[in-house]
Amino acid sequence: MKKLIMKFASFMRDRYARVDSISLACIFAHILTDIISMFFRGSIIVHTVLLVLSMAFAIYAVYRPFSKSIS
């Protein structure tokens, strides 16, 4: 287990590793678009577009803390 922790620590070296205001805004937008998409289940195209947008917000919110770009 210690070896796994050391590998993860090595992986996270020089990474941003923080949840900042942009990540929180993406999480909020993800939740909001999920809620809005529930009202458009009758329209398959609108529902699908909102779900894809919601997934993009979620992926970006997870990607940001693992990014090496600090700016």
Side-chain angles (χ1 to χ4, degrees):
M1 184 69 172
K2 189 172 184 175
K3 189 176 182 180
L4 182 64
I5 293 171
M6 294 301 291
K7 282 186 178 184
F8 185 71
S10 175
F11 172 75
M12 290 302 289
R13 189 173 301 125
D14 297 330
R15 296 194 187 268
Y16 188 60
R18 291 186 193 101
V19 177
D20 58 353
S21 59
I22 296 174
S23 294
L24 288 176
C26 285
I27 292 169
F28 179 73
H30 165 68
I31 293 169
L32 187 65
T33 53
D34 272 348
I35 291 170
I36 292 171
S37 73
M38 287 191 297
F39 295 110
F40 289 100
R41 287 194 178 167
S43 176
I44 295 172
I45 295 172
V46 175
H47 181 71
T48 304
V49 168
L50 286 173
L51 286 179
V52 168
L53 184 63
S54 173
M55 188 60 68
F57 282 130
I59 290 170
Y60 188 68
V62 171
Y63 167 76
R64 258 183 85 72
F66 290 104
S67 173
K68 285 191 175 188
S69 175
I70 294 176
S71 59

